[in-house]
Amino acid sequence: MVRISLIIAIVAGIAALAISQLKVDAKIKALTSDLESTRQTLTTAQEAERKAKKEAKDATAAAEKAKKELETTKNDLLAASEKADQQEKRANELAGKLDKTTQERNNAQAKLSTWEVLGRSIDDLKAMMVENKKLIGENDGLKSENKVLARTLNQVKSDLDLAIGTKTKVELRPDLKGKVIAVDPKYEFVVLDIGLDDGVLTRGEMLVNRSGKLVAKVRILTAEPHRSVANVLADWKQGEIMEGDVVLVGL
């Protein structure tokens, strides 16, 4: 009896085990199915993500390209606009020159017509222009001669004033001012950058100044139109004269 009961218990256990195994297999199959479904979903999602990233990258590249093309187009448009402005300005200048030339031509034609009315030929006009140019040259020559004569007259008058005792020293223009451009310390003379055309007179005396301090006194020895040579007066020498020192008229 016990044996039978044991057998029954064993059979029951085996049956229960079989039933449990069947349930586990079902769960395993269900889990496997879910896992496969999840894998497929994940694969689909990953593929969609890769596609989205690629599309986003392509879109970014396209946007950058469009931006560069837009910038290039703007620069080209600006350059074209500037060139157009320059061409317009040039065209306006040429138009102005053309108007001026046309006006000058019309004036010349009017003058020529007037000249012809007076019964004079083009050769007469040319001869008069040559003569006028000659007269202008002669006038310029006279001006130069007058300038030289004026300088000579000033010097002669100064010498005469000293000779007859009207004045005891040569008077230079109060605003006369220049610079030392050369120094000879051995023979105690200097060269100045001012001359007869500036108002310098021989035997005129000037003070040598540096930074507001008296350095020496010089007396003009010889003078040219734009340069003069002066001797250094020993009694007035306070220091060595240097190139660049200022010379001016003292009181």
Side-chain angles (χ1 to χ4, degrees), residues 8 38 72 93 102 105 116 118 206 208 215 218 228 231:
I8 292 171
T38 301
T72 301
E93 290 176 352
T102 301
R105 183 201 63 187
E116 290 175 347
L118 295 175
M206 301 187 73
V208 181
V215 178
V218 297
S228 56
N231 290 327

Side-chain angles (χ1 to χ4, degrees), residues 27 30 32 97 168 199 239:
K27 288 183 178 181
T32 301
K97 290 181 179 179
T168 58

Side-chain angles (χ1 to χ4, degrees), residues 61-104:
E64 289 294 331
K65 182 179 179 181
K67 182 179 179 181
K68 290 180 180 179
E69 291 177 350
L70 178 60
E71 189 66 25
T72 301
T73 302
K74 287 182 178 179
N75 292 335
D76 291 344
L77 181 60
L78 180 61
S81 178
E82 291 178 351
K83 186 175 181 180
D85 291 340
Q86 292 176 356
Q87 290 177 340
E88 183 179 2
K89 181 179 179 182
R90 177 62 175 167
N92 291 335
E93 290 176 352
L94 291 175
K97 290 181 179 179
L98 177 59
D99 291 341
K100 182 179 179 181
T101 302
T102 301
Q103 183 63 40
E104 290 175 348

Side-chain angles (χ1 to χ4, degrees), residues 101-116 122 125:
T101 302
T102 301
Q103 183 63 40
E104 290 175 348
R105 183 201 63 187
N106 293 338
N107 292 338
Q109 289 178 343
K111 290 180 180 179
L112 181 59
S113 298
T114 302
W115 192 258
E116 290 175 347
I122 297 298
L125 177 59

Side-chain angles (χ1 to χ4, degrees), residues 27-193:
K27 288 183 178 181
I28 289 175
K29 288 180 179 180
L31 289 174
T32 301
S33 178
D34 292 342
L35 178 60
E36 185 63 26
S37 177
T38 301
R39 284 178 178 174
Q40 290 179 358
T41 302
L42 179 61
T43 300
T44 301
Q46 289 175 341
E47 183 64 27
E49 182 182 5
R50 283 194 295 271
K51 184 178 180 182
K53 287 183 177 179
K54 184 177 182 305
E55 290 177 350
K57 184 177 180 180
D58 292 343
T60 301
E64 289 294 331
K65 182 179 179 181
K67 182 179 179 181
K68 290 180 180 179
E69 291 177 350
L70 178 60
E71 189 66 25
T72 301
T73 302
K74 287 182 178 179
N75 292 335
D76 291 344
L77 181 60
L78 180 61
S81 178
E82 291 178 351
K83 186 175 181 180
D85 291 340
Q86 292 176 356
Q87 290 177 340
E88 183 179 2
K89 181 179 179 182
R90 177 62 175 167
N92 291 335
E93 290 176 352
L94 291 175
K97 290 181 179 179
L98 177 59
D99 291 341
K100 182 179 179 181
T101 302
T102 301
Q103 183 63 40
E104 290 175 348
R105 183 201 63 187
N106 293 338
N107 292 338
Q109 289 178 343
K111 290 180 180 179
L112 181 59
S113 298
T114 302
W115 192 258
E116 290 175 347
V117 169
L118 295 175
R120 308 298 291 273
S121 66
I122 297 298
D123 291 336
D124 292 336
L125 177 59
K126 290 181 178 179
M128 289 187 66
M129 292 176 65
V130 172
E131 182 65 21
N132 184 58
K133 185 175 181 180
K134 179 181 178 182
L135 291 174
I136 291 175
E138 291 177 353
N139 184 53
D140 291 340
L142 289 174
K143 287 181 179 179
S144 298
E145 291 180 6
N146 287 338
K147 194 173 183 180
V148 173
L149 289 174
R151 291 200 307 256
T152 304
L153 179 61
N154 287 338
Q155 185 63 61
V156 170
K157 184 176 183 301
S158 175
D159 294 341
L160 182 60
D161 287 339
L162 290 178
I164 64 178
T166 304
K167 294 181 180 178
T168 58
K169 69 174 184 178
V170 175
E171 294 184 356
L172 301 177
R173 282 199 349 250
D175 61 340
L176 181 61
K177 187 177 181 180
K179 286 185 178 181
V180 177
I181 57 176
V183 180
D184 188 326
K186 181 177 180 181
Y187 294 102
E188 292 292 329
F189 73 83
V190 296
V191 180
L192 310 179
D193 66 349

